[in-house]
């Protein structure tokens, strides 16, 4: 990809598919605990730099598993993609877009002054009714990139029906919330159709007038099979975080849903990665799409990454030491399993930290409640599994802690992308043995 530069000095980097750069080995970061605040000794960024060493393995692709690497520090602060967007000047202003003035008012109310790169590039194509493939990582503003022009589409045709399919309940809820803000006073409605919530209410909501259906593939398919959703009426579909849907085994549900939609439709496809499986989907689902990639590396730029070597110490004690520091004000901790996450939450509560958990064993209302408490600063800590945390957009998360190692490189990027959002600084800490 042209125009992309790689931070951390590219001379010793090895390029790999997907454009990620891995700096190999180098001196180990000294273990945490030397007494400096937060453990970010010597500045975390670039702290692992060492001599050039070709990294082995496939971390840049989905499926590159941490387990196949001897040392996670190869990833932390090494896997960085940065486009030349640091001085990004949008071509458009929100004022310039040919969208209804009332939508512009809502955008202003939301506090957005200028479009992000993905919004700047994608919105004109969506407005021109083109199919779009957007390669954008988390936190780039892609939700508004598709919601704004699609709300305009409904303004122009009140009969328009739009389906938005996403991998997780949290992401669906978040998109629905954002939709409500952008469509305020515009008399258009959405139904959020996710698993884990009572289907009865969704069934009755679907009987009312609505333009946007936002949901997860399994529940959407269920509703279609119950004849509550007539997909032949939907001429626009958004597949958001398509790579994640693929990972989570939704491929058949996705294909099923698309097969029930009109061939003559607008398809918008967003993914953080572009593997061969994803390319095959694009070929199947889209017609002459415009491809736009804005992997800005914002995550890497705005997140200080570090590791904590636990060594012989008790992992929970190490965590407690961290959480006791004043700057650890809103902390998202990742664990591997649902039970492990629940146990860790209980242990933290027992040690006096206001904590909650979200994972697949909790129903949607409990997950949402935990998220709301976290958002409204009633909790210091939220412990989560990868799937449950997908799409969480909570501002001001001070730290992300990988208590258990992420399974894949992509999970690592998604986890740390929960902090340092919307131009703010964040810190990510990964526990290693
Ligand atoms: P997303 O990638 O859609 O999850 O958005 C990431 C974060 O950026 C969210 O908190 C959005 O509210 C915020 N955001 C999106 N677009 C803009 C914009 N144009 N200006 C300021 N903040 C934005």
């Amino acid at each position: 990809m042209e125009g992309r530069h790689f931070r951390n000095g590219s001379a010793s980097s090895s390029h790999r598919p997907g454009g990620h750069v891995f700096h190999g080995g180098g001196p180990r970061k000294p273990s945490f605990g030397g007494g400096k605040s937060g453990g970010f000794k010597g500045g975390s960024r670039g702290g692992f730099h060492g001599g050039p060493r070709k990294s082995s393995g496939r971390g840049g692709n989905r499926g590159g598993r941490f387990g196949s690497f001897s040392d996670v520090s190869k990833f932390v602060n090494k896997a960085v993609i940065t486009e030349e967007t640091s001085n990004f000047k949008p071509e458009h202003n929100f004022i310039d877009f040919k969208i209804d003035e009332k939508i512009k008012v809502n955008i202003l109310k939301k506090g957005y002054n200028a479009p992000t790169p993905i919004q700047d590039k994608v919105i004109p194509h969506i407005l021109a009714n083109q199919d779009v493939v957007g390669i954008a990582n988390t936190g780039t503003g892609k939700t508004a990139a598709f919601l704004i022009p699609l709300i305009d589409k409904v303004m122009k045709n009140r009969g328009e029906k739009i389906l938005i399919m996403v991998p997780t309940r949290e992401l669906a809820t978040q998109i629905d919330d954002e939709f409500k803000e952008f469509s305020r006073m515009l008399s258009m409605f959405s139904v959020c159709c996710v698993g884990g919530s009572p289907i009865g209410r969704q069934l009755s909501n679907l009987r009312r007038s609505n333009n946007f259906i936002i949901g997860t593939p399994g529940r959407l398919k269920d509703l279609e099979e119950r004849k509550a959703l007539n997909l032949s009426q939907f001429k626009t579909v958004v597949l958001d975080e398509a790579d994640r849907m693929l990972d989570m085994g939704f491929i058949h549900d996705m294909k099923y849903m698309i097969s029930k939609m009109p061939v003559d439709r607008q398809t918008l496809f967003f993914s953080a990665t572009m593997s061969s499986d994803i390319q095959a989907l694009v070929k199947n689902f889209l017609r002459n799409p415009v491809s736009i990639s804005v992997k800005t590396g914002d995550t890497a730029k705005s997140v200080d990454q570090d590791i904590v070597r636990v060594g012989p110490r008790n992992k929970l004690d190490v965590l407690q030491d961290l959480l006791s520091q004043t700057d650890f004000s809103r902390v998202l901790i990742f664990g591997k399993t649902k039970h492990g996450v629940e146990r860790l939450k209980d242990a933290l509560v027992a040690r006096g930290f206001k904590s909650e958990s979200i994972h697949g064993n909790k129903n949607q209302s409990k997950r949402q409640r935990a998220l709301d408490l976290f958002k409204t600063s009633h909790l210091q800590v939220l412990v989560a599994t990868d799937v449950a945390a997908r799409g969480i957009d909570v501002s001001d998360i001070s730290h992300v802690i990988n208590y258990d190692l992420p399974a894949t490189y992509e999970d690592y990027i998604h986890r740390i992308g929960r902090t340092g959002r919307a131009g703010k600084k964040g810190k990510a800490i990964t526990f290693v043995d």
Side-chain angles (χ1 to χ4, degrees):
M1 275 184 224
E2 280 185 15
R4 175 176 287 179
H5 71 270
F6 296 91
R7 215 167 44 74
N8 290 351
S10 56
S12 64
S13 64
S14 58
H15 290 228
R16 44 190 61 253
H20 305 302
V21 167
F22 289 73
H23 292 263
R28 293 266 167 93
K29 185 88 172 159
S31 60
F32 171 79
K36 287 217 179 161
S37 122
F40 297 100
K41 287 188 282 182
S44 57
R45 203 165 295 136
F48 299 97
H49 275 274
R53 195 176 86 194
K54 250 202 141 100
S55 57
S56 57
R58 315 161 32 230
N61 271 342
R62 182 158 293 287
R65 303 192 76 78
F66 269 120
S68 60
F69 294 89
S70 57
D71 188 347
V72 70
S73 67
K74 283 179 189 158
F75 289 86
V76 179
N77 274 327
K78 308 284 172 30
V80 175
I81 312 157
T82 311
E83 282 230 2
E84 303 264 13
T85 51
S86 47
N87 295 318
F88 174 75
K89 295 221 169 39
E91 235 176 86
H92 309 89
N93 240 313
F94 283 118
I95 295 283
D96 306 333
F97 289 129
K98 292 192 173 63
I99 54 174
D100 196 282
E101 293 302 315
K102 290 186 194 129
I103 305 175
K104 291 180 186 169
V105 171
N106 287 342
I107 295 171
L108 271 182
K109 271 195 197 145
K110 183 120 170 78
Y112 292 3
N113 296 319
T116 65
I118 185 97
Q119 292 161 4
D120 191 48
K121 292 184 176 138
V122 153
I123 289 174
H125 294 290
I126 302 180
L127 288 172
N129 208 31
Q130 286 174 287
D131 281 7
V132 170
V133 178
I135 305 298
N137 52 6
T138 182
T140 52
K142 64 188 159 62
T143 313
F146 62 79
L147 280 181
I148 290 169
L150 293 180
I151 288 171
D152 187 70
K153 195 171 187 181
V154 174
M155 293 291 279
K156 294 192 168 101
N157 172 17
R158 287 290 174 167
E160 190 72 46
K161 289 245 181 206
I162 291 162
L163 180 70
I164 300 176
M165 234 186 316
V166 304
T168 63
R169 303 157 187 186
E170 281 73 20
L171 184 57
T173 312
Q174 211 170 280
I175 294 173
D176 193 33
D177 290 345
E178 207 152 318
F179 164 78
K180 288 189 169 78
E181 291 183 75
F182 286 125
S183 64
R184 195 166 288 152
M185 312 292 282
L186 301 181
S187 305
M188 63 179 77
F189 304 97
S190 62
V191 185
C192 192
C193 301
V194 294
S197 293
I199 199 164
R201 198 176 312 145
Q202 291 167 15
L203 286 166
S204 64
N205 285 341
L206 285 172
R207 271 180 235 119
R208 302 211 194 109
S209 134
N210 54 67
N211 297 97
F212 284 79
I213 305 297
I214 305 162
T216 44
R219 177 56 62 92
L220 288 169
K221 181 164 179 262
D222 193 352
L223 290 163
E224 196 278 339
E225 285 169 345
R226 290 173 190 234
K227 309 250 178 284
L229 264 183
N230 178 359
L231 291 175
S232 67
Q233 297 174 339
F234 287 75
K235 290 208 171 142
T236 309
V237 62
V238 180
L239 299 159
D240 193 16
E241 305 205 344
D243 50 346
R244 195 64 173 191
M245 286 199 273
L246 212 64
D247 271 5
M248 289 170 67
F250 286 135
I251 179 70
H252 298 298
D253 294 346
M254 282 160 83
K255 282 188 172 162
Y256 175 87
M257 298 292 286
I258 295 281
S259 73
K260 299 279 173 186
M261 295 183 73
V263 179
D264 183 20
R265 60 166 190 269
Q266 184 179 25
T267 307
L268 309 176
F269 188 102
F270 292 89
S271 173
T273 52
M274 206 11 116
S275 64
S276 52
D277 287 347
I278 287 288
Q279 278 168 18
L281 278 190
V282 167
K283 209 161 160 247
N284 267 331
F285 292 165
L286 286 81
R287 285 187 313 180
N288 302 325
V290 179
S291 292
I292 287 159
S293 171
V294 292
K295 296 195 76 167
T296 60
D298 271 348
T299 294
K301 261 192 287 176
S302 58
V303 181
D304 277 345
Q305 303 165 54
D306 209 342
I307 59 169
V308 167
R309 291 198 182 280
V310 177
R313 286 169 298 163
N314 178 306
K315 214 170 164 183
L316 199 55
D317 290 342
V318 176
L319 182 60
Q320 175 167 354
D321 285 349
L322 286 174
L323 294 177
S324 302
Q325 296 174 26
T326 46
D327 56 330
F328 283 67
S329 53
R330 195 178 287 179
V331 185
L332 179 62
I333 302 178
F334 283 94
K336 201 167 10 189
T337 64
K338 300 168 197 174
H339 292 296
V341 159
E342 195 57 24
R343 271 199 307 273
L344 179 57
K345 184 268 289 177
D346 289 342
L348 289 174
V349 170
R351 288 178 182 223
F353 296 100
K354 284 187 182 159
S355 312
E356 254 305 346
S357 62
I358 53 170
H359 50 72
N361 281 356
K362 282 199 162 175
N363 68 26
Q364 185 56 19
S365 67
K366 283 197 175 142
R367 281 158 68 162
Q368 195 58 50
R369 186 175 149 66
L371 204 53
D372 290 344
L373 287 171
F374 191 53
K375 269 186 186 169
T376 51
S377 305
H378 288 90
L379 297 174
Q380 180 190 359
V381 175
L382 187 65
V383 192
T385 54
D386 287 284
V387 169
R390 181 77 185 172
I392 287 181
D393 178 23
V394 177
S395 57
D396 293 330
I397 289 182
S398 63
H399 295 79
V400 165
I401 297 180
N402 293 315
Y403 191 77
D404 293 326
L405 285 182
T408 66
Y409 167 76
E410 293 299 343
D411 284 342
Y412 177 73
I413 289 294
H414 281 294
R415 285 180 178 192
I416 70 169
R418 302 299 120 203
T419 182
R421 290 169 80 79
K424 302 203 177 89
K425 272 272 171 200
K427 288 175 181 168
I429 296 173
T430 301
F431 278 24
V432 292
D433 293 336

